Amino acid sequence: MPDRYAVVGNPIAHSKSPQIHAAFARTTGQDVSYERLLAPLDGFVATVEQFRREGGRGLNVTVPFKLEAFALAALHSSRAQLAGAVNTLHLEADGTWYGDNTDGAGLVRDLAHNLGIELRDARILVLGAGGATRGILGPLLDCLPRALAVSNRTHDKAVALARQFAPLGPIEAIAPAGLAGREFDLVVNSTSVGVVSAKHDWPASVFAPGSFAYDLVYSDEPTQFVRWAQQHGAARTADGLGMLIEQAAESFHLWRGVRPETMPVFALLRPR
Ligand code: ATR
């Protein structure tokens, strides 16, 4: 019998995680199965516990349950603690859940390793101050950028995040209006703009010559943010498919102790 893993969320039908983990299992020779679990909005814990009773060994957790997964875990990695959210649950020998957050590591790995972006000494702008942003700020600051700005429609939330993460590096909150005249080497869309098509008020002048625009949203077509960035001076762009695959590889490593190759999976999901 293969060891059972799954991704839990609501909705979940669109998730690419089963395809990604099936490819990892094939290439590493690990005997695992990986399925989708749709949890009712008020039934996250019940769904996870039933999965555990049926032999489940680990879970990826996606929208909207990352905070509930944090609350469920008995122990947390330091990066999950910092993010205040859990995207990976690992069953311990004593039957409790260990909670990790591999999102930020996945983003940094995609940027630095796959896309060849120099993060050290870079001027970085992160748009948004929700749960996704909370997961990526620590790993980005670990890369020693020259400056990391957080900008959010609701400015108070950016101010609160900047205050919380200030001990880790040079982070500041900038209101959207204050972005005019500022330039960045890397601009990351960590808002839900593009998940749902939406108006935004970011100035187009944020892209320094040669800058990179990265969208945490991913889609088979260019995303709303990627198109906007291309039209306003970003030299290069990418969407979040690479981050999705890299965070999955981090989870797989936590569960199985082996690190799968990610490039073949990227080619599988986005054939050129
Ligand atoms: P997630 O967990 O994906 O980060 P979230 O916590 O709901 O989701 O956060 C969504 C983010 O997208 C927030 O930063 C939100 O801004 P507000 O805090 O002002 O709500 C941002 N966002 C959503 N729609 C937006 C829009 N049209 N323009 C700019 N920012 C937007």
Side-chain angles (χ1 to χ4, degrees), residues 4 36 90 94 103 105 109 119 135 148 160 178 215 222 226 248 272:
R4 280 181 75 189
R36 290 184 182 87
H90 176 63
D94 66 359
D103 286 331
R109 172 96 184 161
L119 295 172
L148 176 52
D215 195 351
V226 160
R272 304 221 174 260

Side-chain angles (χ1 to χ4, degrees), residues 194-272:
V195 175
V196 282
S197 179
K199 283 204 164 64
H200 58 79
D201 56 0
W202 307 314
S205 53
V206 292
F207 297 104
S211 62
F212 198 100
Y214 192 98
D215 195 351
L216 263 49
V217 178
Y218 61 87
S219 164
D220 291 338
E221 301 301 320
T223 63
Q224 181 183 345
F225 174 75
V226 160
R227 280 184 277 118
W228 177 78
Q230 285 168 343
Q231 286 157 11
H232 294 100
R236 293 171 66 204
T237 58
D239 75 4
L241 181 64
M243 172 178 170
L244 177 78
I245 296 168
E246 294 296 345
Q247 64 78 29
E250 281 280 320
S251 299
F252 194 90
H253 180 247
L254 173 73
W255 294 328
R256 310 300 301 179
V258 281
R259 187 171 291 283
E261 288 283 327
T262 51
M263 276 311 180
V265 182
F266 194 88
L268 183 77
L269 292 182
R270 187 158 298 160
R272 304 221 174 260

